[in-house]
Amino acid sequence: MTGHDLASLRPRLPSPLQEIEDDRWARHGVRLLLKRDDLIHPDLVGNKWRKLAPNLAAAAGRPLLTFGGAYSNHLRATAAAGRLLGLPTVGVVRGEELAHRPLNPSLARCVADGMRLHFVDRSTYRHKAEPSVLAPILHAAGAEDAYVVPEGGSNTLAVRGCQALGEELRDQAEVVALACGTGGTFAGTAAGLGPGQRALGIPVLKGGFLTADIQDLQEAAFGETRGAWSLDDRFHFGGYARTPPELESFAKDFEDRHGVAVERLYVAKLLYGLVTLAEEGAFPAGSRVAAVVTGAPFAE
C-alpha cells in the first residue's frame, strides 16, 4: 500500500470548517465552529481516515488485523478500507458469546465488507496487547502474517497522523474540542495546535484512565507530552454506547436546528458537553470553540 493508493480514494482534506449560529452558545459570547471531519470520505469517516491512513501505508499490502467491541466504529472503518483497497481484514471482537448470536448491524456491515470476524472471551481481550496473549490470538485467527492495528486505531502512527488535524485548526479557534475514546485523535490534535490554543477532550467511556493514556501516546509519538490540553469526564452518559433519552433528544434537536447529522456515541456527547460548559462560563466571551465532528451516524 502506498500513498498513491490512498490518494485514489480522494479524501477531502483539509476538511471544512462551518460556523453554527445557535443561541445556546451565542448568548454567552461563544462562537461555535464545526470541523467537519465527517466529510473527509464517505466510508473512512473523520478520525478513522486520519488514524488508518498511515497504518494502511505501513501495512504495505499485508492483511490487517484489529480489535473492537460489537459496535466498534473502528472495526467498520477497517473493514471498509479493506474493501476499497483490496486488503484482507480480520476483526477480533470482544465477547466470545457473540459468536453464537445473530450479528448486529454493525458487525454484519463488517462481514459484508469482507472482514473475517474472530471472537475472543473478555478476559483474553483485556490482555490482547501482551505478546504472550496476542500470539495465540493471531494463530487462532490464521493471521500470523497480519499487520496489527490496536483497538480504536490509536498507535504512534495514528497519533502523528492526527497531528495534521490540529495544524489545520491553527489560528481558527481558541479551544478545539473532541470526544475521546482511546485518545489517539486527541493526543495528535493537541500536539498540532499552535500557541494560545488549547484542546478539550470529552471522554465517552467511564473510568478516568484517559489522561495517562494520552500522555503515553504523546510520549511514544513525539518523545514528550505536547500542547495545552485537559479532559472533562462528566459527559459519558454512563459509558460507551450509552445514549439515554436526554442525549437522544438533544442530538435530534441539534439536527433539526442545523441540518447536521449527529453521531450519537461520540459527537452528541461532545456537543452536549459544550452547551453545559458554555452555560457554566467555561469559555471567555469572544471565544471561538471548534468542535471536531469525528464521525457520522451509522446507517444500517
Side-chain angles (χ1 to χ4, degrees):
M1 191 60 52
T2 67
H4 176 74
D5 295 321
L6 293 168
S8 70
L9 301 181
R10 298 193 298 178
R12 185 179 182 182
L13 291 170
S15 59
L17 192 62
Q18 173 186 357
E19 183 156 5
I20 293 292
E21 301 290 340
D22 192 310
D23 184 59
R24 291 173 292 184
W25 285 275
R27 67 171 171 258
H28 302 290
V30 177
R31 291 173 58 194
L32 179 68
L33 310 170
L34 299 184
K35 178 63 168 165
R36 298 294 304 274
D37 265 21
D38 56 316
L39 301 178
I40 289 177
H41 189 277
D43 290 301
L44 303 180
V45 174
N47 63 340
K48 301 311 174 193
W49 174 275
R50 296 187 189 273
K51 292 200 287 188
L52 273 175
N55 278 287
L56 289 165
R62 293 159 60 194
L64 297 174
L65 179 139
T66 194
F67 304 86
Y71 294 92
S72 168
N73 294 326
H74 170 67
L75 283 183
R76 288 204 308 275
T78 303
R83 168 175 56 80
L84 292 166
L85 297 169
L87 294 174
T89 57
V90 179
V92 178
V93 183
R94 179 181 64 247
E96 193 173 32
E97 71 280 2
L98 299 175
H100 310 294
R101 299 176 186 171
L103 296 178
N104 67 32
S106 185
L107 293 177
R109 174 70 64 82
C110 292
V111 171
D113 279 342
M115 176 174 273
R116 192 158 50 83
L117 301 180
H118 179 72
F119 298 87
V120 300
D121 67 82
R122 292 167 190 272
S123 175
T124 298
Y125 191 90
R126 279 195 297 274
H127 299 282
K128 61 190 177 299
E130 299 171 15
S132 61
V133 177
L134 177 60
I137 291 175
L138 295 177
H139 177 74
E144 289 97 336
D145 61 338
Y147 178 88
V148 178
V149 180
E151 182 177 28
S154 291
N155 58 9
T156 296
L157 288 175
V159 171
R160 290 174 182 157
C162 290
Q163 188 175 2
L165 173 54
E167 292 168 351
E168 289 174 23
L169 286 165
R170 284 189 180 178
D171 303 319
Q172 301 297 315
E174 285 70 44
V175 178
V176 173
L178 300 86
C180 305
T182 51
T185 304
F186 185 79
T189 301
L193 295 176
Q197 293 182 290
R198 67 181 177 95
L200 170 64
I202 304 295
V204 301
L205 290 82
K206 292 192 296 183
F209 54 85
L210 206 53
T211 295
D213 287 355
I214 291 165
Q215 290 171 339
D216 290 345
L217 286 165
Q218 287 194 331
E219 287 170 3
F222 309 116
E224 60 183 358
T225 56
R226 286 190 181 177
W229 57 269
S230 62
L231 304 177
D232 192 322
D233 284 302
R234 294 180 292 160
F235 305 108
H236 52 69
F237 284 86
Y240 187 72
R242 300 288 177 85
T243 55
E246 180 184 10
L247 184 66
E248 179 63 35
S249 175
F250 171 83
K252 182 69 168 60
D253 175 66
F254 191 94
E255 291 175 334
D256 291 343
R257 290 181 188 226
H258 304 299
V260 175
V262 176
E263 188 273 331
R264 299 309 200 251
L265 306 187
Y266 289 86
V267 179
K269 294 178 180 182
L270 168 67
L271 294 170
Y272 186 98
L274 291 179
V275 168
T276 302
L277 286 163
E279 291 171 349
E280 293 174 350
F283 310 117
S287 295
R288 296 167 297 171
V289 177
V292 181
V293 183
T294 47
F298 172 55
E300 297 181 9

